[in-house]
Amino acid sequence: MAGELYNKPILFAVVATVVILIGTLVTMFYPMMRQEMHPKLDNLKPYTALQLAGKDIYQREGCNNCHTQTVRPLKTEVIRYGDYSKAGEFAYDRPFLWGSKRTGPDLARIGGKYPDAWHYAHHENPQSMFPKSNMPKYAFLKKAMVDPPAIEAHMKANDFPYTAADISALAGKTEMDALVAYLQSVGTAVKKKASRVVAEAGARQHEKNPLAGDAKAIALGKTLFAENCEACHGANGQGGIGPSLADDVFFGVKGDVADDDYFEVINNGIEPGMVEEGRVAKDTMPEFKALGKDKIWSLVAYIRSVQGK
Amino acid sequence: MNEYQYDHQTVKGFILSSIFWGVVGIVIGLWISIQMWNADWNIAPYFTFGRLRVVHTNGLAFGLGVGAIFGIFYYIVMRLTKRPLLFPKLARVHLWVFNAAIALAALSLFAGMNQSLEYAELEWPLDIGIVILWVMFAVNIFGTVIKRKEEQMYISLWYIIATVVAVAVLYIVNNLSIPAGLTKSYSVFAGVNSANVEWWYGHNAVGFVFTTPILAMFYYFLPKSTGLPIYSHRLSIIAFWSLIFGYLWTGAHHLVYTPLPDWIQTTAIVFTIFLIAPSWGSVVNGYYTVGSDWSKMQSQYLTKFFIWGITFYGLQTVQGPTQALRVVSSLIHYTDWVPGHVHMGTMGWVTMTTAASMYYIIPKIYNTEIYSVKAANTHFWLVLVGQLMFSVTMWITGIQQGALWKATNADGSLKYTFYETLIKNYPFWRLRTLAGVIFTVGMLFFIYNILMTIRKGSILAASKA
């Protein structure tokens, strides 16, 4: 009987198809019927027209060939990128853009990490910020204009809500505007956890910089500053995309603050609306917690030396 | 002499077309390997890494790989059914449609028309074209097999039938999308679910483009070129059914530690381990086949292509399952280890076996001998060295990347910024380019040898006429 199978091509093809479909049904089709495969976070919002245009550009340029968009629930990954990815964050991605290779860093938590100006400068010329970066230059996106009727068709295909005003507002926007708008939205449905490393529970007592004035720490801080801060704050901290660090203006208000306020900001980054010493932040800055305490204090020591303090 | 004519023109047409697309794919491969360590080699907007990488993968998987599969399958099917193709004219049209589709595919990818599904990047109009292409192929294969003159279907035909049905199911399901214009569409699947569908497809594209068709070639050409019968028919039956059963469960091992439900990941990991058995069923069958006369490795130049090819298949199918394990995945996933793994399969197993099959077919078609066994041996050693250098370099890079990403200081903070870990890859990426050059030179020996054999055969045929 079984030998017959090898003389009957149609029967053989049917049996082979059934054998192939068993695994398909159990691991692909059956999960699709389950609610757990269609999760959506409550505060996940559909893409706006400009963000969708940016996502289209992200796909067109094949950004997902070098950047993943999923943070694994592994200790070092969460420290490096932020909270691990949740199933409910991707309901509006058709298809998912998790990627499979990290030639560049993961982007699952890129939204809100840097100010817009950082993204414009970085896409135009990545090497101006990271001299040895292998990322291509995307300066041409600054000259290419988005196509509002096409974006409207894309919004419709996705069934995303939009108004005529949303579409007409796209006129005059560049592809770079769209891409930055998209990137700023990625991963923002999950709220960032406010975390403090230095000032633990209890009343806030100012902590002195243990490395203040230490020549070795200042030298290390200078190197770290060049690697991590200079692209935005300029050489010696005179300012650029980010504010000057050489003056005594902090969060836009004149008047000095304590060493550990600097520490706090470098460690946890800045989100608009964050309050430090009664001053409200308007800007965005990434956290540099990953550097660790010693390096952050060294940076503070260096900044103080630039300020002449 | 048979009273019928085999349709050799179509077979030859596919072989030469696939070689052409292979050259395009390999040259772009070298190009993007340089872009990895020197961003100045990006020429925006059409020739950036993000666009070229998909031309490389599609060009080689579908241009070289599937083109070779079409041609070689037509050859094998005619021989195993002892009759010409049922629809020879359809096969000729199939050849032209194939080349048009690959050319359009390459152009559309340069232009950035990309669904962002790995190995299914082509936009919906081309997807429809490819489905038509596959139907043309399937009709001829099934028609010819049904009308065969040889009652028993040999092992290779099983793998061919499995390839034809599986690829059809995989390709159609994964490409289902909502068009939003002629050059843009959105997948009908979203988020986590789309990830699961994509890697069900992606992994089985490896299974049914880079595994079952190549095994069909292996089971046909190894006995043909050595004159030794396959060691165990029973083992080949067990290996066949367990392979095509097991493969479809394993896609989610590409999604370890992602938000995909854990049970799907774990099921995939378990079946991935299981797959070692049927994979090695074919490896063992190959070894024992030649084992009855190992002197063939020296006396018959194609034997070493097949035996080294199946050896890389064997290594690949052990390395793959280890990568699926969570603890290994946590270190090497998203690193250069993975391209190292992929290229052992493609440059080792697939290209070696396919090239050897072509070495067998072309002289047969022209009733002559291969132009130069010496050049074939040079080809063999160069691609072997190039591929090993490529893979080993990438494994080392991958382990380094994974380890640097995980490295922490005493206080738990990270030791390296991402930028620092990137720069440390450059020396390895330069070596990889060198490895690619060595491999490419080997492939040039192959192409030269094939073309000279065709020339020799044509002159021979002309002098006889």
Side-chain angles (χ1 to χ4, degrees), chain A residues 136-154:
Chain A
K137 294 177 174 64
Y138 287 98
F140 70 95
L141 296 178
K142 273 191 153 173
K143 289 179 215 126
M145 307 309 284
V146 298
D147 177 8
I151 298 166
E152 185 172 9
H154 297 179

Short mmCIF file of all heavy atoms in Angstrom, two decimals, chain A residues 136-154:
data_model
loop_
_atom_site.label_atom_id
_atom_site.label_comp_id
_atom_site.label_asym_id
_atom_site.label_seq_id
_atom_site.Cartn_x
_atom_site.Cartn_y
_atom_site.Cartn_z
N PRO A 136 24.66 55.20 5.74
CA PRO A 136 24.63 56.06 4.55
C PRO A 136 24.10 57.46 4.89
O PRO A 136 23.34 57.62 5.85
CB PRO A 136 23.66 55.35 3.61
CG PRO A 136 23.52 53.96 4.13
CD PRO A 136 23.78 54.04 5.60
N LYS A 137 24.47 58.43 4.08
CA LYS A 137 23.94 59.79 4.26
C LYS A 137 22.56 59.87 3.60
O LYS A 137 22.39 59.41 2.48
CB LYS A 137 24.88 60.81 3.60
CG LYS A 137 26.24 60.89 4.28
CD LYS A 137 27.15 61.86 3.52
CE LYS A 137 28.46 62.09 4.26
NZ LYS A 137 29.30 60.88 4.39
N TYR A 138 21.61 60.46 4.28
CA TYR A 138 20.26 60.59 3.73
C TYR A 138 19.89 62.04 3.49
O TYR A 138 18.72 62.41 3.63
CB TYR A 138 19.25 59.86 4.63
CG TYR A 138 19.38 58.36 4.48
CD1 TYR A 138 20.11 57.60 5.40
CD2 TYR A 138 18.82 57.71 3.39
CE1 TYR A 138 20.26 56.23 5.23
CE2 TYR A 138 18.96 56.34 3.21
CZ TYR A 138 19.68 55.61 4.14
OH TYR A 138 19.82 54.25 3.96
N ALA A 139 20.88 62.84 3.08
CA ALA A 139 20.63 64.27 2.87
C ALA A 139 19.55 64.50 1.81
O ALA A 139 18.82 65.49 1.87
CB ALA A 139 21.94 64.96 2.45
N PHE A 140 19.43 63.56 0.86
CA PHE A 140 18.46 63.77 -0.23
C PHE A 140 17.01 63.83 0.28
O PHE A 140 16.15 64.39 -0.38
CB PHE A 140 18.61 62.71 -1.32
CG PHE A 140 18.16 61.32 -0.92
CD1 PHE A 140 16.87 60.89 -1.21
CD2 PHE A 140 19.03 60.45 -0.26
CE1 PHE A 140 16.46 59.60 -0.85
CE2 PHE A 140 18.63 59.18 0.11
CZ PHE A 140 17.34 58.76 -0.18
N LEU A 141 16.77 63.30 1.45
CA LEU A 141 15.40 63.34 1.99
C LEU A 141 14.96 64.77 2.30
O LEU A 141 13.78 65.08 2.37
CB LEU A 141 15.30 62.49 3.27
CG LEU A 141 15.54 60.99 3.12
CD1 LEU A 141 15.46 60.32 4.48
CD2 LEU A 141 14.52 60.38 2.17
N LYS A 142 15.97 65.64 2.51
CA LYS A 142 15.64 67.04 2.83
C LYS A 142 15.09 67.78 1.62
O LYS A 142 14.43 68.79 1.75
CB LYS A 142 16.91 67.77 3.30
CG LYS A 142 17.15 67.65 4.78
CD LYS A 142 18.26 68.61 5.19
CE LYS A 142 18.10 69.02 6.64
NZ LYS A 142 19.24 69.80 7.11
N LYS A 143 15.44 67.27 0.42
CA LYS A 143 15.00 67.95 -0.80
C LYS A 143 13.75 67.32 -1.38
O LYS A 143 13.02 67.96 -2.13
CB LYS A 143 16.14 67.92 -1.84
CG LYS A 143 17.28 68.84 -1.45
CD LYS A 143 18.39 68.77 -2.49
CE LYS A 143 19.77 68.90 -1.83
NZ LYS A 143 20.64 67.79 -2.19
N ALA A 144 13.51 66.05 -1.07
CA ALA A 144 12.33 65.36 -1.64
C ALA A 144 11.09 65.74 -0.86
O ALA A 144 11.10 65.78 0.38
CB ALA A 144 12.55 63.86 -1.59
N MET A 145 10.01 66.06 -1.58
CA MET A 145 8.76 66.44 -0.91
C MET A 145 7.83 65.23 -0.82
O MET A 145 7.83 64.37 -1.70
CB MET A 145 8.04 67.54 -1.71
CG MET A 145 8.91 68.75 -2.03
SD MET A 145 9.76 69.45 -0.58
CE MET A 145 8.39 70.30 0.19
N VAL A 146 7.04 65.18 0.25
CA VAL A 146 6.07 64.09 0.36
C VAL A 146 4.92 64.33 -0.63
O VAL A 146 4.70 65.46 -1.06
CB VAL A 146 5.51 63.94 1.80
CG1 VAL A 146 6.62 63.60 2.77
CG2 VAL A 146 4.77 65.19 2.23
N ASP A 147 4.21 63.25 -0.95
CA ASP A 147 3.16 63.31 -1.96
C ASP A 147 1.80 63.14 -1.27
O ASP A 147 1.38 62.00 -1.00
CB ASP A 147 3.42 62.19 -2.97
CG ASP A 147 2.35 62.11 -4.04
OD1 ASP A 147 1.49 63.01 -4.10
OD2 ASP A 147 2.37 61.13 -4.81
N PRO A 148 1.11 64.25 -0.94
CA PRO A 148 -0.12 64.13 -0.13
C PRO A 148 -1.18 63.17 -0.67
O PRO A 148 -1.72 62.37 0.12
CB PRO A 148 -0.63 65.58 -0.07
CG PRO A 148 0.60 66.41 -0.25
CD PRO A 148 1.47 65.65 -1.19
N PRO A 149 -1.51 63.18 -2.00
CA PRO A 149 -2.54 62.23 -2.45
C PRO A 149 -2.15 60.77 -2.22
O PRO A 149 -2.99 59.94 -1.84
CB PRO A 149 -2.68 62.53 -3.95
CG PRO A 149 -2.07 63.87 -4.16
CD PRO A 149 -1.04 64.05 -3.10
N ALA A 150 -0.87 60.46 -2.43
CA ALA A 150 -0.42 59.08 -2.20
C ALA A 150 -0.56 58.72 -0.72
O ALA A 150 -1.01 57.63 -0.37
CB ALA A 150 1.03 58.92 -2.65
N ILE A 151 -0.20 59.67 0.15
CA ILE A 151 -0.28 59.39 1.59
C ILE A 151 -1.74 59.19 2.00
O ILE A 151 -2.05 58.33 2.83
CB ILE A 151 0.37 60.53 2.40
CG1 ILE A 151 1.87 60.61 2.05
CG2 ILE A 151 0.22 60.29 3.90
CD1 ILE A 151 2.54 61.86 2.52
N GLU A 152 -2.63 59.96 1.38
CA GLU A 152 -4.05 59.78 1.69
C GLU A 152 -4.50 58.35 1.32
O GLU A 152 -5.19 57.69 2.10
CB GLU A 152 -4.91 60.81 0.94
CG GLU A 152 -6.37 60.73 1.35
CD GLU A 152 -7.22 61.86 0.78
OE1 GLU A 152 -6.73 62.63 -0.06
OE2 GLU A 152 -8.39 61.95 1.22
N ALA A 153 -4.04 57.89 0.15
CA ALA A 153 -4.38 56.51 -0.26
C ALA A 153 -3.81 55.51 0.73
O ALA A 153 -4.46 54.51 1.06
CB ALA A 153 -3.84 56.25 -1.67
N HIS A 154 -2.62 55.79 1.24
CA HIS A 154 -2.00 54.88 2.20
C HIS A 154 -2.76 54.88 3.53
O HIS A 154 -2.90 53.84 4.18
CB HIS A 154 -0.54 55.26 2.42
CG HIS A 154 0.30 55.14 1.18
ND1 HIS A 154 1.63 55.45 1.14
CD2 HIS A 154 -0.02 54.75 -0.09
CE1 HIS A 154 2.10 55.27 -0.10
NE2 HIS A 154 1.11 54.84 -0.85
#
